[in-house]
Amino acid sequence: PIAKLKQVDRILEQLLPDMKFNREYHKPSKPALAYFFFCFRMFFSIGILIGAGDYQSMLMMGCGLAFLILIVASVYMEYRNAGINANDQVVSISTGVFTKQMIFIKMEKIESVSEQSNYFKCKKGFTNIKLGFIAPLRVANIQARNMTYNEYEEVKKAMIF
């Protein structure tokens, strides 16, 4: 069903009062935007554009350029929709590309919290926070991409208490 945030809050408050929390998500910082562009779909679209340049067809170049613009827009929307919030009862992760998805997980259902980053992200202080819990495979290993280590430590601290 389609509902606005106020309606979702009211529904959660009535049906699941223990899932109520402050909706202030920790968002990725501006320097993290560059790391969102290091993804398979970005390199794939650049490859298509380069491959279209070999054929020297204006139609292929136009399609490749339109595809690249769509991918850049999707990466930027992923950056805008990313976020994480944790308290002593609930962890909430906001993800999505063209549709925003908010996932609420009770602390007692979380089995693991891990972080993953490469050398360059680690030097800049960014990491991917991955939560493991028993759920359908589609959401079982949800992650918040390119967050700071402070947010990772905050989630770990919230799980300990």
Side-chain angles (χ1 to χ4, degrees):
I2 298 174
K4 297 191 179 196
L5 283 178
K6 289 182 181 180
Q7 293 170 327
V8 170
D9 287 338
R10 192 174 64 234
I11 291 168
L12 282 175
E13 186 176 329
Q14 290 174 354
L15 297 177
L16 301 166
D18 54 337
M19 297 293 269
K20 186 175 165 115
F21 74 101
N22 185 5
R23 198 178 290 278
E24 294 293 324
Y25 284 99
H26 297 286
K27 299 283 192 177
S29 59
K30 286 194 179 199
L33 178 60
Y35 293 108
F36 278 92
F37 283 97
F38 289 108
C39 60
F40 175 76
R41 65 182 183 262
M42 190 69 180
F43 294 123
F44 181 74
S45 65
I46 291 171
I48 286 177
L49 190 60
I50 291 171
D54 286 345
Y55 292 113
Q56 296 184 0
S57 166
M58 293 306 275
L59 179 63
M60 287 293 287
M61 289 289 286
C63 289
L65 188 60
F67 187 63
L68 181 64
I69 290 170
L70 183 66
I71 296 300
V72 168
S74 74
V75 168
Y76 181 73
M77 289 304 297
E78 184 179 10
Y79 163 74
R80 296 279 299 168
N81 290 333
I84 191 167
N85 186 4
N87 62 23
D88 59 341
Q89 294 177 343
V90 177
V91 174
S92 177
I93 293 182
S94 173
T95 62
V97 177
F98 290 115
T99 59
K100 187 173 184 177
Q101 180 182 25
M102 293 182 289
I103 299 169
F104 303 93
I105 309 155
K106 288 185 180 181
M107 280 293 188
E108 54 266 6
K109 301 293 182 189
I110 298 174
E111 294 180 337
S112 65
V113 177
S114 61
E115 59 92 13
Q116 176 186 6
S117 64
N118 60 30
Y119 176 75
F120 300 109
K121 282 171 58 172
C122 186
K123 283 190 75 129
K124 295 287 185 178
F126 299 115
T127 186
N128 295 341
I129 303 170
K130 188 179 258 188
L131 300 176
F133 56 97
I134 297 175
L137 288 177
R138 192 171 125 203
V139 293
N141 288 314
I142 194 74
Q143 68 177 343
R145 292 186 58 211
N146 302 318
M147 306 303 284
T148 63
Y149 278 101
N150 294 337
E151 278 103 23
Y152 172 67
E153 293 297 328
E154 186 178 315
V155 172
K156 275 186 10 183
K157 189 167 89 173
M159 283 193 60
I160 291 172
F161 295 112

